[in-house]
Amino acid sequence: MDTLSYPAYLLALTAGMLTPGPAMLQALSLGLRHGTRPVAAAALGNVCATLAQVAAVLAGLAFLAREPLLLRLISLAGAAYLGWLGLCLWRAPARLALPEASRASLTGLFAQGLGVAACNPKAWGFLAAMLPRFAASGAVDAATLALTAGPVCLLGFGGMMAYARFGAWLAGRLASPAALRRIFRLMAAVIWACAGFFAVARFP
């Protein structure tokens, strides 16, 4: 486990996952209209997909670790991708566009959360950008999987539930374009700092 890179990994995860995006806005809309119970079903589906994604990305990167130069190039491409995500956040329109939140069955919401996370190319790219150095040894043990997947699942589930539970308060705070722009740009700066770290840090 690359403990030196772990704080940067956690920072980038927090900035990327808690910024108002499709999953969090869906949770906000559902929470405002129907309460937290349906959000929990969607969030649980999101967590299940995320756990599978982290395991798959780590396994693929561990396989590629046989070629250290290739893994290093993937890491640099990942840092560039994080830089692009930061630019998208910096330039994001300062407005909330809440999706329609029609009430579905809990099973349907679970499947919806599962499908949205599993089919989201940005999620795959985000994980592939940050995980190469945690698979550099060529083998992924249970501790590494737990330490990399655990925060993703906790931030995903906890973030969606927080957006649902405090929806009215958050909607009021995020309604201001100036406040929303500050949040986006702060998170962009954090992601850029992490991208720079991943670009220059040496592999363990």
Side-chain angles (χ1 to χ4, degrees), residues 141-160:
D141 55 23
T144 299
L145 179 59
L147 287 170
T148 51
V152 188
C153 294
L154 287 173
L155 284 167
F157 189 88
M160 289 182 74

Side-chain angles (χ1 to χ4, degrees), residues 36-94:
T36 57
R37 191 178 178 209
V39 178
L44 188 57
N46 185 289
V47 164
C48 290
T50 298
L51 183 58
Q53 285 174 313
V54 174
V57 170
L58 279 175
L61 292 171
F63 178 78
L64 294 175
R66 302 173 189 179
E67 300 291 340
L69 178 59
L70 179 59
L71 197 63
R72 178 60 179 158
L73 289 174
I74 291 172
S75 181
L76 290 173
Y81 179 72
L82 287 180
W84 177 77
L85 287 180
L87 181 62
C88 290
L89 268 178
W90 187 272
R91 299 172 61 184

Side-chain angles (χ1 to χ4, degrees), residues 58-190:
L58 279 175
L61 292 171
F63 178 78
L64 294 175
R66 302 173 189 179
E67 300 291 340
L69 178 59
L70 179 59
L71 197 63
R72 178 60 179 158
L73 289 174
I74 291 172
S75 181
L76 290 173
Y81 179 72
L82 287 180
W84 177 77
L85 287 180
L87 181 62
C88 290
L89 268 178
W90 187 272
R91 299 172 61 184
R95 64 177 185 272
L96 286 180
L98 292 181
E100 282 298 317
S102 56
R103 182 69 177 269
S105 70
L106 295 182
T107 303
L109 287 167
F110 174 87
Q112 188 179 96
L114 186 75
V116 167
C119 299
N120 182 0
K122 285 187 178 180
W124 288 100
F126 195 66
L127 292 172
M130 294 188 298
L131 293 178
R133 59 192 59 253
F134 300 113
S137 67
V140 178
D141 55 23
T144 299
L145 179 59
L147 287 170
T148 51
V152 188
C153 294
L154 287 173
L155 284 167
F157 189 88
M160 289 182 74
M161 294 307 296
Y163 269 74
R165 178 66 181 84
F166 303 106
W169 182 83
L170 282 169
R173 295 301 179 275
L174 298 177
S176 163
L180 195 56
R181 186 175 293 110
R182 282 195 295 269
I183 291 171
F184 282 148
R185 293 190 171 181
L186 173 63
M187 297 306 187
V190 171

